[in-house]
Amino acid sequence: MARNVTVGVLGTGRIGKLHAEHLCYRIPEAQVAAVADVRLEAAQACAASLGIAKAVADPRVILEDPTIDAVAICSSTDTHAPLIEAAAAAGKHIFCEKPIALDLGVIDRALEKVKKAGVKLQIGFNRRFDPNFRRIWERLREGAIGEPHLLRITSRDPAPPPIEYVRVSGGLFLDMMIHDFDMARYLIGAEVEELYVMGGVRVDPAIGKAGDVDTAMVVLKFTGGCLGSIDNSRQAVYGYDQRVEVFGSKGMVSTENNTPNRTRLATTEAVQEELPLHFFMDRYIDSYVLEMKAFIESLLADRQPPVSGLDARVPVVMGKAAKLSLEQNRPVRISEIRA
Ligand SMILES: NC(=O)c1ccc[n+]([C@@H]2O[C@H](COP(=O)([O-])OP(=O)(O)OC[C@H]3O[C@@H](n4cnc5c(N)ncnc54)[C@H](O)[C@@H]3O)[C@@H](O)[C@H]2O)c1
C-alpha cells in the first residue's frame, strides 16, 4: 500500500463527522476521498465543512471506487454487518463502529466474510485508546501491581438518551455497558467466565416501561480468578463519570475523571474542583483520534489492527449473559450463551 491511506466514510452523523474530521486534519497519513450518507444533505454538509471532494447517498459508490483503500463504517448499528460484508467483498479494509450487530449469527457471518476476503478490520472500542485507561493497561503489563485481584469500573452517563433511542438500542447492557465489558477484558487480559447482574429503574420510569433498566451493577469472575465489578447509571447529575481501579497483590492503580482544567478552589467552607468533562465527545476525544491513527498505521505496516473481530463479538456475548442474569436473577456462565 502507498504511504497514504485513502478512506471513504460511510455515515456522517455524530460519530461519522468526528472520524472524518480526524482523518482529514489530525492524521497526516490519511485522506478522505468521499463520504456517503443515505441522507445526502448530511453527507454534503460534512464534505463541504471538511473540504472533501465527493459526497454521495449510496455507500456502493465508495465501495466501487478503486482509489479508496479503506472505509470507516459510522452509520446506524443495523447497517454495520451488511456494510462490512459489502466492503469485504469489495476488498476494502474496514474500520467499523461498535457494535457490529446485536445478533451473534449476524456478527459471525460478517466476520467470516472479512476473513475470507483477507481485509483488515478494526472495531471502534475507542476507550482502549484513552490515555488514562491505556496507562493502567501498561502498568498492569509492567507488573506494577502484581497479580490483579479486583477490577472496579464506574461508568455513568450524564443524562439518559431519548426514549425512542432506548427502545431500539438493545438495552443498557448491549448499548452502554458493552464498552465496560470490553474495558474489563482489555485491562485484565483474560476472559470473563461468569457474571451476575442486579439492575433497576432509578432514573426514569419511562425507561422501565420501554423494557430496560437505567441502573445496574455487575459482578464478574475472570478465568484465572480475578473478580470485577461494573456499575452503570444513565444519569450522573455531576457529568460523565468514568473511573477505573485495579487492585492487585503488589498495589493498586486507578484513574479519576478528566476535568476541563485542574484548578481547585479552597475556602473556609470547602475545597472545590471542576465537574468532569460532560460526555463522551469531550472526555474521549483523544481516544477517537488515537484509535483511527492505530487503524491507519496498521494498514501502512500491514499488520492486524489492535481491536479485532473477536473483540467485537465477546462483549456482545457478555451483554447477552448480563440480560439473562437479570431476567433470571442468577449467576450466568458465559458458555451458556450460544449463537
Ligand atoms: N464508539 C463510540 O463511542 C460511539 C459513540 C457514538 C456512536 N457510536 C456508534 O456509531 C454508530 C453511529 O452513531 P451516531 O451517534 O453517529 O448516529 P447518527 O444517527 O448521528 O448517525 C448515523 C448516520 O448514518 C446514516 N446512515 C444510516 N444508514 C446508512 C447507510 N446504509 N449508509 C450510509 N449512511 C447511513 C444516517 O443517515 C445518519 O446520518 C452507531 O453504531 C453507534 O453505536 C459509537
Side-chain angles (χ1 to χ4, degrees):
M1 187 173 286
R3 215 172 52 80
N4 277 302
V5 178
T6 303
V7 184
V9 176
L10 313 183
T12 54
R14 271 188 320 177
I15 205 79
K17 277 189 290 192
L18 190 81
H19 286 313
E21 186 183 332
H22 294 163
L23 285 160
C24 286
Y25 295 123
R26 299 183 70 179
I27 305 174
E29 302 80 15
Q31 64 209 30
V32 179
V35 291
D37 197 299
V38 285
R39 293 183 302 122
L40 181 60
E41 65 286 4
Q44 285 168 334
C46 174
S49 71
L50 298 174
I52 296 165
K54 199 159 146 188
V56 295
D58 187 346
R60 277 178 301 185
V61 178
I62 289 182
L63 298 180
E64 284 162 9
D65 183 339
T67 68
I68 291 181
D69 306 306
V71 291
I73 300 176
C74 308
S75 44
S76 336
T77 298
D78 59 330
T79 66
H80 292 181
L83 285 174
I84 287 178
E85 290 186 23
K92 309 293 183 203
H93 299 297
I94 303 161
F95 173 92
C96 182
E97 264 308 334
K98 47 60 57 181
I100 292 181
L102 301 179
D103 181 281
L104 293 173
V106 173
I107 295 176
D108 289 342
R109 207 181 102 150
L111 293 181
E112 195 50 44
K113 294 275 161 78
V114 168
K115 196 171 154 198
K116 265 203 188 119
V119 295
K120 296 189 170 59
L121 170 72
Q122 180 173 323
I123 297 301
F125 278 124
N126 58 298
R127 292 186 193 178
R128 292 181 176 214
F129 299 85
D130 172 80
N132 293 320
F133 298 149
R134 175 74 194 174
R135 192 72 188 116
I136 292 189
W137 182 92
E138 286 168 359
R139 288 296 199 203
L140 291 170
R141 298 306 168 289
E142 289 161 7
I145 66 152
E147 197 60 35
H149 292 176
L150 291 169
L151 162 75
R152 202 160 74 177
I153 298 179
T154 291
S155 177
R156 304 170 190 155
D157 283 356
I163 206 70
E164 309 77 58
Y165 176 87
V166 170
R167 279 196 199 99
V168 298
S169 66
L172 184 104
F173 302 109
L174 287 169
D175 175 50
M176 183 174 167
M177 201 179 283
I178 192 164
H179 276 292
D180 307 308
F181 289 141
D182 177 64
M183 186 52 57
R185 57 190 291 278
Y186 167 65
L187 288 178
I188 299 304
E191 297 297 351
V192 166
E193 54 184 34
E194 191 172 11
L195 56 74
Y196 183 39
V197 174
M198 288 214 182
V201 179
R202 306 289 295 155
V203 174
D204 183 353
I207 294 177
K209 281 200 191 101
D212 202 2
V213 292
D214 55 33
T215 307
M217 187 103 185
V218 179
V219 182
L220 311 166
K221 185 172 173 203
F222 293 86
T223 54
C226 182
L227 303 179
S229 72
I230 300 171
D231 75 79
N232 273 185
S233 168
R234 285 286 194 187
Q235 181 168 283
V237 292
Y238 47 87
Y240 200 32
D241 194 358
Q242 301 283 296
R243 290 171 287 140
V244 166
E245 174 185 303
V246 190
F247 169 85
S249 57
K250 291 189 184 159
M252 189 265 286
V253 58
S254 64
T255 176
E256 289 299 317
N257 285 311
N258 284 0
T259 52
N261 60 67
R262 304 298 302 146
T263 58
R264 184 176 292 156
L265 171 70
T267 66
T268 52
E269 265 106 60
V271 176
Q272 287 177 302
E273 56 181 278
E274 300 287 320
L275 293 173
L277 288 172
H278 189 67
F279 209 3
F280 62 90
M281 289 290 197
D282 311 306
R283 160 67 197 254
Y284 287 123
I285 192 74
D286 292 338
S287 73
Y288 292 116
V289 179
L290 292 168
E291 70 171 347
M292 197 54 84
K293 213 172 162 38
F295 174 63
I296 297 297
E297 281 167 2
S298 303
L299 301 190
L300 290 171
D302 192 20
R303 60 169 184 251
Q304 280 308 314
V307 193
S308 69
L310 180 71
D311 295 326
R313 187 184 197 277
V314 176
V316 176
V317 176
M318 293 170 76
K320 288 181 182 293
K323 273 178 137 172
L324 185 64
S325 173
L326 182 68
E327 272 162 31
Q328 300 190 352
N329 190 26
R330 66 172 178 89
V332 168
R333 294 190 69 78
I334 297 300
S335 57
E336 291 179 48
I337 307 301
R338 309 241 175 253

